[in-house]
Amino acid sequence: SSILDFGVARVPVASIVPFGEGCGLGAASSWASGGVPTLGNTSFSLGIRGAQPSSLALLAAGNSRAVWTATGALLPLGAFGCQLLVDPQVTVVVTTDAAGAADQPLPIPNTTSLIGAEFVGQWFVPDGVVGAFGFASSEGVAFVIG
């Protein structure tokens, strides 16, 4: 008997896929991206649209949507009606423009070991009604480098 491996020589396809659900004002926002997550795309970015105008937004990013590595807690992790959907290994605070939009550059180096790697992100926006510590969350987004 022989084993047939359909994964051999399979090339990962660059993709950006939302997952989970946001809460409060974060649920009203949407994701934006600058290009496709491919090797050498120095203009790749993740953005938020529909957030509060001229306000702060926090992007949490990492490489897991299963475990928060700093605590060992399984994801999603809920608090006050919102869920943490990603391992927040990196956090960046940006200011939205007058239309409630912001973009965070995430240039992708031309490093072949990144092919097929999945990274995840989630936005957090101020919300005095819903969310832990006065912040509501967006849905998550997973992007695979191709």
Side-chain angles (χ1 to χ4, degrees), residues 41-62:
N41 183 352
T42 58
S43 63
F44 181 71
S45 65
L46 289 180
I48 188 170
R49 302 293 182 267
Q52 293 178 337
S54 305
S55 183
L56 297 179
L58 182 140
L59 174 62

Side-chain angles (χ1 to χ4, degrees), residues 68 77-82 84 124-137:
W68 183 358
L77 185 62
F80 304 103
C82 293
L84 176 64
F124 292 87
V125 296
D127 187 331
V129 178
V130 173
F133 311 108
F135 283 87
S137 60

Side-chain angles (χ1 to χ4, degrees), residues 71-98:
T71 66
L74 297 179
L75 298 172
L77 185 62
F80 304 103
C82 293
Q83 292 186 324
L84 176 64
L85 300 170
V86 305
D87 180 6
Q89 296 172 341
V90 176
T91 57
V92 179
V93 176
V94 298
T95 302
T96 60
D97 62 18

Side-chain angles (χ1 to χ4, degrees), residues 100-144:
D103 294 292
Q104 175 59 46
L106 296 171
I108 300 172
N110 195 10
T111 305
T112 57
S113 63
L114 291 174
I115 292 176
E118 179 182 83
F119 296 94
V120 291
Q122 184 176 20
W123 286 101
F124 292 87
V125 296
D127 187 331
V129 178
V130 173
F133 311 108
F135 283 87
S137 60
S138 72
E139 65 188 352
V141 69
F143 62 99
V144 175

